[in-house]
Structures are given as structure tokens and as C-alpha cells.
Amino acid sequence: MTNSNQTTGYHAGYHGIDIGGSKMELVAFADRDGALAEVFRERVATPADDFAAFVQAIVDLVARGDAALGTTAPVGIGLPGVIDSASGRQLSSNVPALNGRLVAQTLQQALQRPVAIGNDCQCFALSEAQGGAAENAASMFGAILGTGAGGGYCVGGQLLRGFNGVAGEWGHWSLPATLLAQHGLADYPCPCGKTGCLERYVSGPAMRKIHAHFGGDGAEPLAIVARANMGDAVAERTVAVHLDVLGHALASLVLAYDPHVIVLGGGLSKLPHLYDKLPAAVKRHLFPGVHVPPILPPRFGDAGGARGAALLIRQHTKAST
């Protein structure tokens, strides 16, 4: 899918690329007095199993973005998984061709310009911190609730990535055994190799799994919530347990990061009851005197990935000058 406005002559611009398992999208932004203005957008299929083809697809996208901007622009990329801080190799990506590869170094050599790679959840957080739902907040945490659970932490509109670059990976904190026992939940294994990770209980697939665990049919979250609102007992129990576990997880975030705002992302961020009931659910897991920050829906939603990647490379290049 291509949707472009051929506009040239900008003095500064940035490319943001959002990588998914099946599609990847480049958005070229002109920097107009600090605000990013979209100039060009193109989405193509991800060559998921061929690294050489993947690199070439990025090179081709960036060339078309450069033509639209009229300049050679640096590139920010957001993709799932982590980069080993010691070796620089990509791990746990949903694009098999990237695993074990020096993705950033290879692309920087192929593109001959600065390249910054960030976790897709961190890019989401950065996008919501700059011009999004958390605009002007002193600090914010972007909490993704999608097929997994991840996030990013921004202070003063700047992304803090940490020593390993994994700041915000709250989905792989462990759920306490006491809470598992209280709700009669099993200690579910996680693809990361651990068991009991939060994302196995708070994500979209986790909500379906909990529903099936209590005797339901593992319906989609929207359907589970709708059934709960109509008085279905299994659905009501599922929603209540999910809400309590998520409340505990966000309470842990408050104690660890103390953000001024929490912005939800991912598919579950579209569930209205979370914004009504989560503050009380979080409060139950905090000690007296600790208050729950505003919990907000995202402004950019799924469209924020490429924008956040562009903001990431802008942050990176400005820090290097």
C-alpha cells in the first residue's frame, strides 16, 4: 500500500520504519520547527525468512523516502525483540531472518547514514510522550497490552533505555505465587524461557487463556467483556481476575518508575472498562499515601510505531551532536 505526497526541499527529515512479522511500513517525516510532518508513507511485505531480501527491502523503501523528502535522512526502526547489549545481535524477533544478526550495523553499512533500532514498545512510548496522550508530562510509562506485554519509559519526553536497552520490559516481571494461588491460576510458561511472566496473564491471549481456564471457550477479549456486561458468570470472573492481575502489575510499575502518566497501548487499550476500573484495581495493590497516576488511552494507537521510530533517531542524532 502506498500513500505519498511528493514534497521536496526540506532541510531536515527523518525516516521511521515499523517492522512487523508480515508487513513493514516506512513513514518519512519533515522536521518543521521541531514538529514531525508526514511527507511519505509506504507499506510492503516483510521478507521474514531472507535477511538479504529484508535488507534490500529497507534500502528500497528508504530510497523512495529520500526522494519524497529531497534529502538523505537518518533512519529509526522499531521492531519486536531485544538486542544483546554485548554482541549487538538481534534476539527474540518475530522476523526469523533477523535473529542472531547484526541488524543495526548491517543496515547502517547498506544505507550509509545513522540508523537507530528500538523495541517497538519503546517507540510507542516515545510517540505518546512527544505529541501524544502524555504530551508535557514530566514522565510517562507506555504499557503495551497486545499479543504480549511490553513498554517504554520516558522522562521529559526522552526515552530512557537503560544499561541493556530493555527499560520498560515489565511483561517479563514475575507474577507473585500468592496472587496465582488466590485466583487459582496455573504457573504458565513463557517463550522467554521463564515461567509466570506477567504477559502470560495480562495480554490479549492471556485473557482468552484465563477464560478457557475457568471453563469458557477462550473467546476474544471484546466478546468476554460483552458477555460479562450481560451477566455471564465465567466472563465476569475472567474480567475480574484479569483486572486484578493487571492492577497488581501496574501497581508494581508505579512503585518502580512512579510515572506521572500511564498510557495503554495494544489491542486491549480499546477496552473502555479498563479506564473506568483500573485506577481502583491498581490502588488495591498500593500502600496508603501512594496515588495512582492518570491511565490514558493512546492518541496515535497502532499508527505511532513509525512515528516513534523517527523520534528515536532524532533523539539519537541530537544526542550525538
Side-chain angles (χ1 to χ4, degrees), residues 35-319:
L36 294 184
E38 181 180 324
V39 172
F40 173 87
R41 177 186 296 264
E42 183 174 351
R43 179 182 295 179
V44 299
T46 302
D49 299 306
D50 185 333
F51 187 61
F54 174 87
V55 172
Q56 189 59 52
I58 295 289
V59 170
D60 293 343
L61 277 174
V62 169
R64 292 191 287 273
D66 281 349
L69 282 173
T71 188
T72 300
V75 178
I77 299 175
L79 72 163
V82 298
I83 297 175
D84 187 309
S85 59
S87 68
R89 297 184 183 277
Q90 184 70 32
L91 304 174
S92 304
S93 173
N94 66 342
V95 182
L98 305 188
N99 285 315
R101 299 283 189 171
L102 297 170
V103 179
Q105 294 91 323
T106 301
L107 289 176
Q108 191 160 354
Q109 183 176 9
L111 294 168
Q112 293 296 297
R113 70 191 72 201
V115 174
I117 292 182
N119 182 276
D120 55 341
C121 299
Q122 293 178 341
C123 290
F124 162 80
L126 187 57
S127 183
E128 291 297 332
Q130 296 190 24
E135 174 77 358
N136 298 321
S139 66
M140 66 83 69
F141 194 94
I144 295 283
L145 296 166
T147 54
Y153 182 54
C154 298
V155 175
Q158 300 300 300
L159 182 67
L160 300 185
R161 304 181 68 184
F163 176 69
N164 288 288
V166 296
E169 278 288 355
W170 67 297
H172 295 286
W173 295 355
S174 297
L175 192 69
T178 52
L179 204 57
L180 288 174
Q182 177 184 333
H183 293 304
L185 296 173
D187 195 7
Y188 299 132
C190 180
C192 77
K194 296 171 59 181
T195 59
C197 289
L198 283 175
E199 77 168 25
R200 311 312 292 168
Y201 304 90
V202 301
S203 64
M207 195 172 186
R208 297 181 62 186
K209 193 175 186 72
I210 292 170
H211 187 245
H213 177 74
F214 291 147
D217 58 4
E220 293 291 336
L222 279 172
I224 294 172
V225 174
R227 293 178 193 178
N229 291 337
M230 296 175 64
D232 181 285
V234 174
E236 285 180 335
R237 185 180 182 188
T238 300
V239 170
V241 169
H242 178 265
L243 193 66
D244 188 53
V245 172
L246 181 56
H248 175 275
L250 293 185
S252 298
L253 278 177
V254 170
L255 295 176
Y257 293 99
D258 200 17
H260 291 77
V261 175
I262 295 173
V263 181
L264 301 184
L268 294 194
S269 70
K270 300 174 184 177
L271 298 177
H273 79 281
L274 292 182
Y275 304 100
D276 296 331
K277 298 181 178 179
L278 254 183
V282 175
K283 183 66 176 176
R284 286 197 297 271
H285 294 281
L286 294 171
F287 52 82
V290 179
H291 302 283
V292 181
I295 300 174
L296 305 175
R299 180 171 297 171
F300 295 107
D302 294 341
R307 182 177 183 274
L311 290 168
L312 180 66
I313 187 60
R314 184 171 75 172
Q315 177 178 319
H316 176 80
T317 52
K318 287 187 175 181

Side-chain angles (χ1 to χ4, degrees), residues 14-26:
Y14 303 93
H15 298 310
I17 304 178
D18 187 25
I19 305 292
S22 60
K23 301 287 185 182
M24 56 184 180
E25 183 173 53
L26 176 141

